[in-house]
Amino acid sequence: DVQVVESGGGLVQPGGSLRLSCVASEFTFKKHWMHWVRQAPGKGLVWVSRINSDGTSTAYAESVKGRFTISRDNADNTLFLQMSSLRDEDTATYYCARDGSDMALGDYNYYMDVWGKGTTVTVSS
Amino acid sequence: DIQMTQSPSSLSASVGDRVSITCQTSQSISTYLNWYQQKPGKAPKLLIYAASHLQSGVPSRFSGSGRGTDFTLTISSLQPEDVATYFCQQSYTTPFVFGPGTKVDIK
């Protein structure tokens, strides 16, 4: 089955760092843009970051800009989110999602069609 | 950033009812609007992309419409398995903001 699986979440103190990973399977990872989306407990969805297919272009939500870095390893079918200077408000479930747009066919609609189950990050002292 | 609003914030309807959820954006986004369904404790699921395109495998009772700043998700005949929270999301420009969500349950 086409899927993405996140890992790397856990408990970290404020100011600490954490690296999330997302392994993709059963699709051509290097063709797809990828996203990170987070959801604080009981709250709505918040888009965090996206990266283009070859890793040369990234974008971030203002709330994480300068603290989080998205990257990818197309040889290993893996997406990363390096998080540093973590704050209480970064506590959330972090989802990795595939962008289903087929840019080779001129589709630039940017929609998230494959989601992982999420990994939980808790920032607390 | 583009601001997103959804209405209603919650609704309760009977099985078989026609249900509509609206999403408004603070500026025109053409048809760069997606809809997701999230059931409790689960990851979101894509329902509609580009305002009106039904994602593969999604039941045909779901439909989307709209352009510019006003969009609608319609469930033509509400089913028990449709109990969930529904989010719109703009993909016109980053940050790809989500709406606040609409919680749907069965009366």
Side-chain angles (χ1 to χ4, degrees):
Chain A
D1 283 356
V2 171
Q3 65 176 349
V4 293
V5 178
E6 306 93 338
S7 62
L11 175 64
V12 61
Q13 292 189 335
S17 299
L18 211 55
R19 189 195 202 198
L20 306 184
S21 299
C22 167
V23 176
S25 57
E26 302 300 324
F27 67 92
T28 307
F29 180 70
K30 64 182 180 182
K31 289 180 61 176
H32 289 268
W33 292 33
M34 298 292 294
H35 303 265
W36 287 100
V37 175
R38 71 184 182 184
Q39 186 171 38
K43 302 296 185 183
L45 300 171
V46 176
W47 176 85
V48 172
S49 183
R50 69 95 178 129
I51 188 168
N52 70 343
S53 54
D54 65 6
T56 57
S57 173
T58 59
Y60 298 92
E62 198 62 38
S63 59
V64 307
K65 202 173 289 184
R67 300 188 300 122
F68 290 12
T69 302
I70 189 171
S71 62
R72 63 192 298 161
D73 182 340
N74 285 345
D76 276 347
N77 294 336
T78 305
L79 176 72
F80 302 101
L81 187 67
Q82 178 68 48
M83 305 185 295
S84 60
S85 303
L86 283 161
R87 306 168 179 166
D88 290 353
E89 55 265 35
D90 295 319
T91 294
T93 296
Y94 285 74
Y95 294 102
C96 162
R98 183 183 84 167
D99 193 304
S101 307
D102 190 341
M103 286 134 199
L105 297 180
D107 174 9
Y108 291 89
N109 284 296
Y110 307 117
Y111 48 90
M112 299 165 204
D113 69 338
V114 177
W115 293 69
K117 294 183 178 181
T119 187
T120 301
V121 173
T122 303
V123 184
S124 175
S125 53
Chain B
D1 296 358
I2 295 175
Q3 309 303 312
M4 314 280 291
T5 58
Q6 281 184 239
S7 61
S9 56
S10 66
L11 68 88
S12 186
S14 300
V15 172
D17 281 355
R18 183 180 183 88
V19 167
S20 291
I21 298 167
T22 64
C23 177
Q24 279 195 316
T25 58
S26 59
Q27 68 182 74
S28 178
I29 61 169
S30 184
T31 57
Y32 290 92
L33 193 285
N34 308 311
W35 289 97
Y36 300 88
Q37 174 195 66
Q38 187 179 33
K39 296 183 179 180
K42 300 294 186 182
K45 172 187 174 183
L46 176 69
L47 298 177
I48 302 285
Y49 65 96
S52 61
H53 291 75
L54 189 69
Q55 173 67 358
S56 176
V58 173
S60 59
R61 63 180 180 274
F62 292 93
S63 64
S65 64
R67 170 182 285 271
T69 61
D70 294 284
F71 302 87
T72 302
L73 173 71
T74 300
I75 308 173
S76 61
S77 176
L78 187 67
Q79 300 301 304
E81 59 266 33
D82 300 335
V83 169
T85 300
Y86 294 83
F87 297 93
C88 58
Q89 180 225 359
Q90 67 83 15
S91 58
Y92 180 76
T93 185
T94 56
F96 289 155
V97 180
F98 287 86
T102 295
K103 190 172 183 180
V104 174
D105 64 25
I106 301 292
K107 194 181 294 183

